[in-house]
Each structure stands twice: as structure tokens, then as C-alpha cells.
């Protein structure tokens, strides 16, 4: 995200109870849960399609 604001709607966030937090750019370690899920999915796909 380029922080352009197109996905930032404080009224919607407040109405749904979402707490908006920003992270440092290019820092995947701050997205731990998502990174672990991506790694798990990649490993699953790699086992389904072995190198030929």
C-alpha cells in the first residue's frame, strides 16, 4: 500500500470495531501470522508439485 488513503475509512473501521495499525514498509516480520500462513501454503503446494 502506498498510503494513498483509498483503503482507509475511519468511519467504517469504527463501526466494525477494526483497529487500524500501520507497519514499517518492507518489514514482513511485523506480519507474523500472515507470513506463517503464506509459508505453510507454499510448502503444501511445493509438496503437491514435485520438481521434475
Amino acid at each position: 500500500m502506498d498510503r494513498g488513503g483509498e483503503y482507509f475509512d475511519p468511519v467504517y473501521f469504527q463501526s466494525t470495531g477494526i483497529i487500524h495499525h500501520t507497519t514499517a514498509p518492507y518489514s514482513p516480520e511485523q506480519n507474523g501470522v500472515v507470513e506463517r500462513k503464506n509459508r505453510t501454503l507454499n510448502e503444501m503446494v511445493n509438496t503437491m508439485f514435485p520438481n521434475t
Side-chain angles (χ1 to χ4, degrees):
M1 184 159 102
D2 61 1
R3 302 197 193 269
E6 38 305 322
Y7 300 109
F8 183 72
D9 184 2
V11 175
Y12 174 74
F13 291 164
Q14 186 175 14
S15 69
T16 58
I18 296 172
I19 301 172
H20 182 257
H21 292 284
T22 57
T23 60
Y26 306 106
S27 58
E29 59 275 0
Q30 290 184 348
N31 299 321
V33 173
V34 174
E35 291 298 320
R36 284 192 299 276
K37 185 66 172 178
N38 284 338
R39 183 176 57 232
T40 302
L41 291 172
N42 281 332
E43 289 172 354
M44 290 170 61
V45 169
N46 287 337
T47 59
M48 288 186 230
F49 300 107
N51 294 335
T52 56

